[in-house]
Amino acid sequence: MIRAILIDDEKPATEVLEMKLKRLNMGVQILAKFNQPEAAVEFMRVTSFDILFLDIEMPRLNGFDLLQQFDEFHFDVIFTTAYDQYALRAFRVSALNYLLKPIEESELKDALVSWQQKKIKQLQLPQIQTLHEHLAPKTPPQRMALPTNEGHEIIEISQIVRCMADTSYTHFHLTDGRKLVICRTLKEIEQALEPNGFVRVHHSHLINPHFLRKIVKQEGGYLLMSDGAQVPVTKQKRDWLVEQFNVPGRGGV
């Protein structure tokens, strides 16, 4: 049994979500629905539950402000949001579940299945802090939350040398020599790190150009990174990098 609370300032939204959850028949017990988020805080403090379905943009008390009422979390959150695709990168990189309005039943089912498969089933404060940072306007985010067996590790994006795909996993190589592996596709990571200047140079490799040391055209072409790695690169991306660095004469070093 999954015990859930629904919060959305629009009553039709909670009613439709409740209907779809019941129709899925996945064992979700709805403990309460709130259309005034401030009224939910005390109930959440004294009630044991598993998932909070939470709208973000609400008058008086938005979703982030509501979560800040808690010092620790004994529950997890699935955000319901009307944010555009660009902003959804923030949810992915913060390792947070979300449903894009209008909510499709198939996506609702996927979100519940994903939650059931999670090892850590409680929201963690670093996830919210990272999400805030990623949704902030003007400047690209400086940190990201990587899900681990113990929770989430917060890393500085500037310390990522490169990322490498391994089926549905991604290997992170950091400046201090550490290697972290997370259950996210390279495509998801690419979407999250694009605003920070990261470049997909090969179907299996994403690099931070700041740590690019040499563009080599021999042996099919590769990039020499600061950690000594020789990263394969497509000819198109190699030529593009040459142009970006204003290297005289096309074709590399």
Side-chain angles (χ1 to χ4, degrees), residues 215 239-250:
I215 303 172
D239 292 345
W240 182 85
L241 285 167
V242 167
E243 292 177 356
Q244 299 307 304
F245 285 98
N246 295 315
V247 178
R250 294 175 59 85

Side-chain angles (χ1 to χ4, degrees), residues 149-191:
N149 288 335
E150 295 76 28
H152 294 84
E153 182 163 350
I154 307 301
I155 64 170
E156 298 292 328
I157 290 177
S158 63
Q159 300 305 303
I160 302 172
V161 176
R162 56 192 176 91
C163 300
M164 184 178 69
D166 180 9
T167 60
S168 60
Y169 292 84
T170 296
H171 296 249
F172 283 74
H173 296 260
L174 308 181
T175 55
D176 60 6
R178 286 186 301 150
K179 300 176 184 178
L180 302 174
V181 183
I182 70 168
C183 186
R184 292 289 186 277
T185 65
L186 188 63
K187 181 176 178 61
E188 291 177 286
I189 302 304
E190 176 190 9
Q191 291 174 337

Side-chain angles (χ1 to χ4, degrees), residues 19-250:
M19 177 190 68
K20 291 183 176 181
L21 285 167
K22 289 181 176 178
R23 198 153 55 198
L24 284 174
N25 194 27
M26 293 181 66
V28 178
Q29 178 188 7
I30 298 172
L31 302 182
K33 298 178 295 181
F34 292 93
N35 302 121
Q36 296 181 350
E38 59 272 19
V41 176
E42 187 56 34
F43 182 83
M44 291 169 60
R45 291 190 193 281
V46 299
T47 304
S48 178
F49 64 100
D50 301 304
I51 299 178
L52 173 65
F53 287 89
L54 179 64
D55 187 24
I56 295 178
E57 293 298 328
M58 298 182 289
R60 298 186 304 278
L61 189 70
N62 66 38
F64 296 130
D65 292 337
L66 183 145
L67 292 174
Q68 287 176 353
Q69 307 295 312
F70 299 87
D71 295 324
E72 59 182 9
F73 304 98
H74 61 273
F75 56 87
D76 206 352
V77 172
I78 295 179
F79 286 101
T80 58
T81 176
Y83 274 117
D84 61 22
Q85 291 295 325
Y86 178 83
L88 293 184
R89 297 173 182 172
F91 292 93
R92 297 188 189 104
V93 80
S94 303
L96 288 164
N97 287 328
Y98 65 89
L99 290 166
L100 190 62
K101 294 180 177 180
I103 298 170
E104 299 289 339
E105 280 192 30
S106 60
E107 294 174 353
L108 179 57
K109 179 180 179 179
D110 289 345
L112 289 170
V113 170
S114 176
W115 180 84
Q116 290 171 328
Q117 294 174 344
K118 287 176 66 173
K119 294 181 179 179
I120 306 296
K121 288 185 166 64
Q122 289 81 39
L123 180 68
Q124 297 184 317
L125 187 58
Q127 291 175 278
I128 297 299
Q129 293 171 335
T130 303
L131 180 60
H132 264 301
E133 190 173 276
H134 277 253
L135 289 176
K138 299 179 182 177
T139 59
Q142 301 304 308
R143 302 183 300 168
M144 68 186 304
L146 301 184
T148 66
N149 288 335
E150 295 76 28
H152 294 84
E153 182 163 350
I154 307 301
I155 64 170
E156 298 292 328
I157 290 177
S158 63
Q159 300 305 303
I160 302 172
V161 176
R162 56 192 176 91
C163 300
M164 184 178 69
D166 180 9
T167 60
S168 60
Y169 292 84
T170 296
H171 296 249
F172 283 74
H173 296 260
L174 308 181
T175 55
D176 60 6
R178 286 186 301 150
K179 300 176 184 178
L180 302 174
V181 183
I182 70 168
C183 186
R184 292 289 186 277
T185 65
L186 188 63
K187 181 176 178 61
E188 291 177 286
I189 302 304
E190 176 190 9
Q191 291 174 337
L193 293 178
E194 262 185 342
N196 296 80
F198 281 67
V199 180
R200 183 80 170 263
V201 296
H202 183 270
H203 70 269
S204 297
H205 295 273
L206 179 74
I207 70 162
N208 183 344
H210 180 74
F211 297 108
L212 175 60
R213 294 295 176 261
K214 187 180 291 187
I215 303 172
V216 180
K217 66 179 181 180
Q218 287 83 12
E219 301 177 12
Y222 65 86
L223 306 176
L224 181 64
M225 303 300 294
S226 62
D227 62 352
Q230 295 182 4
V231 176
V233 60
T234 65
K235 183 179 185 301
Q236 181 182 11
K237 284 296 184 181
R238 187 186 70 201
D239 292 345
W240 182 85
L241 285 167
V242 167
E243 292 177 356
Q244 299 307 304
F245 285 98
N246 295 315
V247 178
R250 294 175 59 85

